[in-house]
Amino acid sequence: MKYFFLFLLGCLTFTGWCREVISLNHSWRFTPGYETAKGVYAEITLPHMWNQDALAGKADYYRGLGNYERELVIPEAWKGKKLYLYFKGVNTVANLFVNGKHVKEHRGGYTAFAADITPYVKFGEKNVIWVRVNNAPQLDVMPLLGDFNMYGGIYRDVELVVAEPLHFSLFDFGSRGIYVSQENVSREKADLRVKALWEGELNAPAVLRFSLKDAEGKEIAGKEQTLFSERHSVELSVEVEKPHLWNGRSDPYLYHISVELVTGGEVTDRIEDRVGFRYFRVDPDKGFFLNGEHLPLKGVCRHQDRAEIGNALLPLHHREDMEIMAEMGVNAVRLAHYPQDKMMYDLCDEYGFVVWAEIPFVGPGGYRDKGFVDQPSFKENGKDQLRELILQNYNHPSICFWGLFNELKQAGDDPVDYIMELNRLAHQLDSGRLTTSASNQGGRINELTDVVAWNMYYGWYGGEPSGIGGWADEVHKRYPRRAIGISEYGAGASVLHQQEDLVKTVAGSYWHPENWQTYFHEEHWKAIDSRPFLWGTFVWNMFDFGAAHRKEGEMNGKNDKGLVTFDRKVKKDAFYFYKANWNRDDPFVYIAGRRLTKRSEALQTIKVYSNQPLVELSLNGRSLGKKKGEYGTFVWNGVELHKGVNEIVARTKAGGEDKILLEW
Ligand code: ADA
């Protein structure tokens, strides 16, 4: 029965011809700590994380050991195959044991890794898998700190890969062993290069072959090449004529590629992937260009966690985040501050978001402590994490930028030389993309990556929101030959905190009224929109996220700079301001200030957001006239409420209507 179940699972998760990929998310036992009492455990299903305490805002949440164990029956019939465990994300350090023997250690919580368990398993028997996970802070694993929770656990999927002896390598820093490069891309042609790494003995003549199909399934290119036993890497190139380009949100066209190893006429392994042809550049005066056309990047940053489940996300959660971002009209996303689930990069390919992907090289920002320690073990770990990020995500057309650091300082251990090393490494591994960084400093540190961006908080940690424009002009003048962007800008808001007047929020305080965040973004967007030299700008943050050390806003342990709440249930007013400016496709109308249901005066200002040219407002059934908007914003001053409950309706021709009740 068990074998039948395994077989069934294998069929369901089958991604290659001969390779079987079996989900191992079920039937784990979890025990926290060490020297735990025998027989005391929780039965859990992956993805899993153990830090509910962090979600509850406990600043010194548990950072230590957690143990995951499960049995694994390996059928006798698998003798002669190669068996791997593939972990997609374990935070932070994972040690894998099979039948009590140490197999592998992996250091870094955001990237995948594979372990060859073939020599450790007993065929035809039950085997015991034990993963010892440690999320304690350590000085030689990135990140050393950050304004986000480092939830411990096996929080992404685990798979068993059952491969034929001749198979694509899983050992190149957790990649799938297939790298698809594109060069000289234009509307006329593209050079496609497929590099494959393989493992195993060649007992008979073998070939590598690939086939590229368009979205309708028509083969448009293909090639094969003989394998030679002395080399475990092989490359094939073809020219694709008149490629249908991957063109961001407007046309995220994807081809399909399948790469196979064939020996004695039999396919022994196959990897499927998608290819999107595109070219891009960044100009210091004119910003970002995709396929030769100017594309202002309207970006947001996304942390991966959410209320109640932390980082232990299911596919439906990733998809929901994408849908929310798409609804707002986002066309670029900074997946901060670490590599995110591969599914996110897949979805970005599909939705057509331009991606900034990054390693967790996070500096102290406004806090004390260090993001960089000048010791070899830290530096090696950071380079490995960069290799993993790039090699695991090499084929995604959506990724245009590799982010190398966030808010590092030069005081103390100076990271400049090391960042230069990372920059060289990124280019060595991938000559087709640009490097970037998120700075909050002046000085040499801003001259190291291909393009640079700053985390700016005018009107939150200091200054006024309108200050952002002057700042951008100043930096553009100071670095005329550098492409500059804004990697973060944002202000906190609680949907429970409402005020009638616009009073500036004190960042670290309890009171985080929503209307200050809205105003902050209105001012920022106007300044950004009139400065096309900014190559990309990214709201901090799309969603509220867990930051256990924070004691501010409506509850401890949360950074509430999201445009959407931590549970994804409420879209704040600022969300609709952006939707009105960024989403040209779905007509809508939205009345702002709707959560401030009780007003203290009869005369009120009513603000409406819409992407339609004209909005009509009515009060208790009486029209107050139609208005044209500016920046998607329509304002009626001096609206006189009756005593009691008032009905306010905003109507548009194509975008329907919105209705709220206000009490005076
Ligand atoms: C920094 C940092 C972020 C973030 C932000 C904030 O800029 O890069 O991680 O949390 O501060 O909200 O203060």
Side-chain angles (χ1 to χ4, degrees), residues 25-32 38-46 48 66-71 126 128-131 154:
N25 283 355
H26 294 277
S27 313
W28 291 86
R29 296 170 182 170
F30 174 71
T31 46
K38 275 190 186 155
V40 181
Y41 55 77
E43 288 186 354
I44 60 107
T45 297
L46 304 178
H48 174 261
N67 302 278
Y68 293 84
E69 264 186 275
R70 67 162 278 159
E71 288 172 354
K126 267 187 201 159
V128 178
I129 312 287
W130 170 33
V131 190
I154 306 184

Side-chain angles (χ1 to χ4, degrees), residues 176 178-182 246 254 272-278 280 335 340-350 353-355 357 388-402 430 432-433:
R176 298 200 297 162
I178 305 290
Y179 304 103
V180 182
S181 306
Q182 43 181 294
W246 181 92
L254 293 169
E272 313 261 349
D273 213 338
R274 294 179 305 183
V275 178
F277 295 102
R278 84 283 184 265
F280 62 91
L335 293 173
Q340 300 201 3
D341 195 299
K342 189 153 176 53
M343 182 176 175
M344 275 310 281
Y345 304 101
D346 281 334
L347 289 171
C348 289
D349 295 343
E350 271 171 42
F353 291 177
V354 170
V355 173
E388 290 175 326
L389 171 73
I390 295 180
L391 297 173
Q392 291 176 20
N393 298 298
Y394 190 86
N395 299 344
H396 294 286
S398 56
I399 300 175
C400 294
F401 302 95
W402 298 122
D430 182 0
R433 293 182 172 97

Side-chain angles (χ1 to χ4, degrees), residues 147 303 337 406-407 455 457 461 488 540 545 550 559 561:
D147 178 29
H303 259 303
H337 278 311
N406 182 76
E407 296 196 346
N455 297 344
Y457 287 90
Y461 292 121
E488 292 179 20
W540 189 260
F545 60 92
R550 280 191 182 257
N559 186 320
K561 294 189 188 70

